[in-house]
Amino acid sequence: MSRYWNSRVKGLDPYIPGEQPRDRKFIKLNTNENPYPPSPRVGEAVRQIFEGDGTGEELRLYSDPACTDLRTAAAAYFGLRPEQIFAGNGSDEALAFAFAAFFESRETPVGAAILFPDISYSFYPVYARLWNVPFTGIPLTADFSINPDDYRQPSAGVIFPNPNAPTGRSLESEAILSLAAYLETRGKVLIVDEAYIAFGGESVVPALDDHPNLLVIQTLSKSASLAGLRVGFALGHPDLIEGLCRIRDSFNSYTLDRLAQAGAAAAMHDTAYYAGINGKIRATRERVSSALGELGFTVIPSQANFIFARPPRISGSVFFSRLRERGILVRRFNKERIADYLRISMGTDGEMDIFLEACGNILREEK
Ligand code: PMP
């Protein structure tokens, strides 16, 4: 705490990202990164910027604030028009801007709260507090599902991930679109965060033309192995996209640099490569889910690139520490109902074999 902080900073409760250790080599199953390298076309596109005299001359110039080439590539990929696409510095930025653009703050006369699941992406309450947006957490059902009917009540808007994080459970498009229609009659926005849609579940992107209040968030961090390049999207009606641009251009017009725009556009052209690696991750997830079940874990059926599971007999915090001692990092959330669960990102098959062997050994030792 500093005397120089203003009251806004004093009141913040920032998001804590998963660890990125620099001291020792871990098997990293803690931040839902893709274990496979990005498409070789990404490297080629980024290197191209340093071709010619090799000085990266192009970097003298500001990047394109409208991300025209990237949005054109994204439009072809998503089957949308470029004006239905906002490109952000990671989908976190698209989310931060969406909270600022579409949800009323406490100071405005519209006082109702936005709704999101009580067990969900832990950045949502952080954004809500940052922009002073009132919110209510809607409890997941007993089996950790989102019940869309629970969101049919007066609100200032709704947001949830599909598949949900950290549970990995997904909802059918039909239920999501019916909720979008309900919210549209009330003049409210539905944000569906599809950060993990490349690994399962059904995207609602094809229905965007029918729902002017529906905003879909996607990211290249997991699906395109580009967490370090920081590129995400908001997809929706051009009026929603313009709202996001108004926030961006009141904040920082150049949120995506030239390297990111070029690399991301190249990735979006290589769908065959990504279908291959992401198919592999889905197969790994099914194999690891069964193996954990056999070890006695309670495993939530996942459509994402991670598994949410509770070890038998041993508390989540002890199991987390035992894995860490063995050089394996997973994620745990110290929160009611889920404190004994671990969120395990899918690594390569080799990494997951080491992980499963460690789980078996820990359970034997703690008997
Ligand atoms: N949404 C969800 C549900 C996530 O889990 C994450 C990853 N932490 C993000 C959005 C943000 O991803 P990025 O900013 O890397 O695009």
Side-chain angles (χ1 to χ4, degrees):
M1 188 70 84
S2 159
R3 62 195 282 217
Y4 301 111
W5 290 358
N6 68 12
S7 46
R8 178 196 284 275
V9 175
K10 284 181 189 149
L12 291 179
D13 188 6
Y15 175 74
I16 303 167
E19 236 182 307
Q20 292 289 357
R22 300 170 68 104
D23 51 337
R24 128 173 206 215
K25 195 143 174 50
F26 282 95
I27 292 183
K28 264 194 97 265
L29 310 178
N30 68 330
T31 44
N32 296 342
E33 288 138 335
N34 195 310
Y36 300 108
S39 155
R41 293 197 201 177
V42 175
E44 282 161 28
V46 170
R47 272 194 300 278
Q48 186 103 43
I49 291 175
F50 293 92
E51 276 183 358
D53 64 3
T55 59
E57 222 265 334
E58 201 183 299
L59 295 180
R60 256 183 342 98
L61 305 173
Y62 282 105
S63 55
D64 172 11
C67 302
T68 312
D69 293 344
L70 171 57
R71 283 168 55 239
T72 304
Y77 175 86
F78 290 115
L80 297 172
R81 288 169 283 124
E83 60 268 30
Q84 292 172 291
I85 300 175
F86 175 87
N89 192 272
S91 59
D92 278 339
E93 186 179 71
L95 284 167
F97 290 177
F99 271 71
F102 308 124
F103 300 148
E104 296 289 354
S105 73
R106 260 175 234 284
E107 289 75 30
T108 53
V110 191
I114 62 162
L115 310 177
F116 49 76
D118 64 340
I119 297 170
S120 192
Y121 186 27
S122 41
F123 227 137
Y124 301 155
V126 175
Y127 293 133
R129 287 194 194 97
L130 172 66
W131 303 119
N132 209 6
V133 170
F135 63 91
T136 303
I138 304 289
L140 293 185
T141 63
D143 69 358
F144 287 139
S145 301
I146 292 172
N147 177 0
D149 290 341
D150 293 344
Y151 296 80
R152 288 177 184 261
Q153 54 166 300
S155 79
V158 173
I159 177 168
F160 53 74
N162 188 49
N164 193 14
T167 64
R169 275 197 185 277
S170 70
L171 271 181
E172 284 177 6
S173 285
E174 206 182 310
I176 297 173
L177 297 176
S178 152
L179 179 64
Y182 167 89
L183 287 164
E184 189 192 342
T185 60
R186 284 147 184 87
K188 306 299 174 203
V189 167
L190 171 63
I191 304 179
V192 181
D193 181 350
E194 296 187 340
Y196 300 101
I197 202 75
F199 307 101
E202 214 185 335
S203 174
V204 289
V205 167
L208 281 175
D209 281 337
D210 303 327
H211 298 277
N213 64 326
L214 178 60
L215 189 78
V216 176
I217 302 292
Q218 287 214 6
T219 175
L220 298 187
S221 294
K222 301 118 204 305
S223 65
S225 307
L226 290 175
L229 204 67
R230 311 302 304 129
V231 180
F233 299 102
L235 313 167
H237 190 281
D239 291 349
L240 295 183
I241 301 309
E242 192 187 335
L244 294 172
C245 293
R246 286 173 69 98
I247 296 286
R248 179 195 61 206
D249 294 336
S250 307
F251 182 81
N252 169 16
S253 296
Y254 308 102
T255 62
L256 283 182
D257 62 53
R258 284 175 175 265
L259 305 178
Q261 292 190 33
M268 302 199 86
H269 288 123
D270 202 354
T271 47
Y273 172 81
Y274 287 113
I277 62 169
N278 292 337
K280 209 145 85 171
I281 290 169
R282 282 196 295 273
T284 306
R285 176 190 70 212
E286 295 313 307
R287 178 174 76 85
V288 175
S289 295
S290 317
L292 286 174
E294 280 162 26
L295 286 171
F297 279 66
T298 306
V299 181
I300 310 293
S302 170
Q303 296 290 304
N305 66 340
F306 53 81
I307 296 170
F308 204 48
R310 192 184 68 205
R313 307 191 304 278
I314 304 173
S315 75
S317 73
V318 168
F319 208 94
F320 175 94
S321 306
R322 296 284 172 274
L323 283 170
R324 201 174 194 289
E325 289 156 17
R326 289 168 163 80
I328 300 171
L329 279 184
V330 296
R331 191 94 192 258
R332 190 179 81 88
F333 302 92
N334 201 5
K335 199 179 153 152
E336 221 187 308
R337 279 179 80 192
I338 57 169
D340 281 326
Y341 279 78
L342 304 174
R343 192 196 67 188
I344 305 144
S345 310
M346 289 304 101
T348 61
D349 280 313
E351 288 173 327
M352 297 323 288
D353 288 340
I354 297 170
F355 164 78
L356 288 171
E357 196 186 330
C359 289
N361 291 339
I362 293 166
L363 290 173
R364 266 190 295 281
E365 280 166 26
E366 300 279 335
K367 234 178 212 161

